Amino acid sequence: MSIIEQAIKLLKDGKLVAIPTETVYGLGADARNPDALQKIYVAKGRPSSNPLIIHLPSPDAIVDWAIDIPKEAELLANAFWPGPLTLILKKHPSVPSIATGGQDSIALRIPNHPLTLALLKGFGSGIAAPSANRSGRISPTTAEHVREELGDKVDLILDGGPCQVGIESSIVSLLNDTPIILREGSISASQMSTVLGKAVLSRSEIAKLQASETLVHVPGESSSHYAPSKPLYLVEKQQWMDTLQQIFEKKQNVDVISFSKSSFEHPQVVQWLEAPLNPEWFAQQLYGVLRRFDNSRSDCIVVEMPPQKESWFAIIDRLQRASSPLN
Ligand code: TXA
Ligand code: MG
């Protein structure tokens, strides 16, 4: 039996299979099997109100999972699937409610990874898969990370190499006339807006609106998330030296991600990563670097704030969720 055939059999038996995608690894189960879905929540320690993303074998399958599908869904699917974009639509009544955390909406995407596309085609149905990490922790971008996170809680890990994009998919809600970005990812509001020929509201635009509280609510998407276990300080260039000075005074060791070379040697700096000003590179490396820094002998992590440009929004979002206030 090939590894894909094994994975298909496990899914059909209601087991958990970790799957590679272009964004991060997912913890997969048969999206039509409530008992299998329950295992995902248990393995991750995920609150049962936090809905899952359903991965589809083909765009035609949308009609089996959603109803009242607007034309925007087809336009975005044609433009970006397979790829790092998740669509929120009205849920089809046949989908078990545990798949959507009790919501009457549903999250759908087709991931762009050859192994997982082959698995989806062979399985012939939807695979529910949240990121394959314990709840609240850094998402895995290699098979090894999945092993570290979930060990034997997962029945099979399909090793598809390091994830190419490195951060989770963009999530856009199509439940209202104006599409709204619920989670920033590598596909931007302006890319979607170009395809749709109409405005797509990004988080930063929503923040400017009065009704922001009700509009941007994403179930389970708490502000603290994707976090290493040691404090991460996200620092503007101007506060850079002051912050490091404070850390040195507290006798703490530090790992650093900066866009410039270290201009000094200091015994309390454990690792200094000089990142290029390239958001694709940064996204691809981010979670692996945070994991490495989390396991080092440092006491904290300091990251220089990237430029406030659309191409960096998804990265800034993840860094903000991972960060702690400096006091
Ligand atoms: O790139 C990705 O999207 C990865 C890979 C594995 O596909 N998956 C992923 O899943 O990041 P997860 O569970 O870690 O994040 C899914 C997010 C959650 O924040 C959840 O609240 C949101 O999607 N979501 C799912 N269904 C939703 C719904 N019906 N309405 C609003 N948000 C939803
Ligand atoms: Mg996640």
Side-chain angles (χ1 to χ4, degrees), residues 19 21 23-27 44 46 50-53 55 86 88-89 99-100 103 105-107 109 111 129-133 139 167-169 171 182-183 217-221 225-226:
I19 56 171
T21 82
T23 58
V24 301
Y25 274 73
L27 179 61
K44 280 183 62 92
R46 182 179 178 105
N50 190 351
L52 308 173
I53 295 179
H55 298 70
T86 297
I88 305 291
L89 296 166
T100 62
Q103 306 277 323
S105 57
I106 188 164
R109 89 173 185 107
S131 51
N133 50 280
S139 298
I167 56 172
E168 301 81 355
S169 60
I171 302 182
L182 301 182
R183 181 173 72 187
H217 175 70
V218 185
E221 193 86 333
H225 215 105
Y226 313 101

Side-chain angles (χ1 to χ4, degrees), residues 32 54-67 69 77 81 89 92 94-95 106 108-110 120-121 124-127:
R32 298 263 178 204
I54 314 301
H55 298 70
L56 301 181
S58 76
D60 315 341
I62 292 188
V63 294
D64 300 328
W65 302 87
I67 53 171
I69 302 159
W81 282 0
L89 296 166
H92 194 292
S94 67
V95 181
I106 188 164
L108 301 175
R109 89 173 185 107
I110 301 187
L120 282 161
K121 289 262 179 325
S125 179
I127 299 177

Side-chain angles (χ1 to χ4, degrees), residues 303-323:
V303 183
E304 183 179 335
M305 180 64 105
Q308 295 287 343
K309 290 191 185 146
E310 192 181 36
S311 55
W312 288 92
F313 282 173
I315 290 163
I316 293 172
D317 170 68
R318 300 309 188 277
L319 288 171
Q320 282 172 336
R321 289 172 196 276
S323 68

Side-chain angles (χ1 to χ4, degrees), residues 20 35 58 149 166 192 199 246 264 282 298 309 320:
D35 295 336
S58 76
E149 284 291 317
M192 289 184 234
Q246 275 185 52
F264 57 91
F282 204 103
S298 72
K309 290 191 185 146
Q320 282 172 336

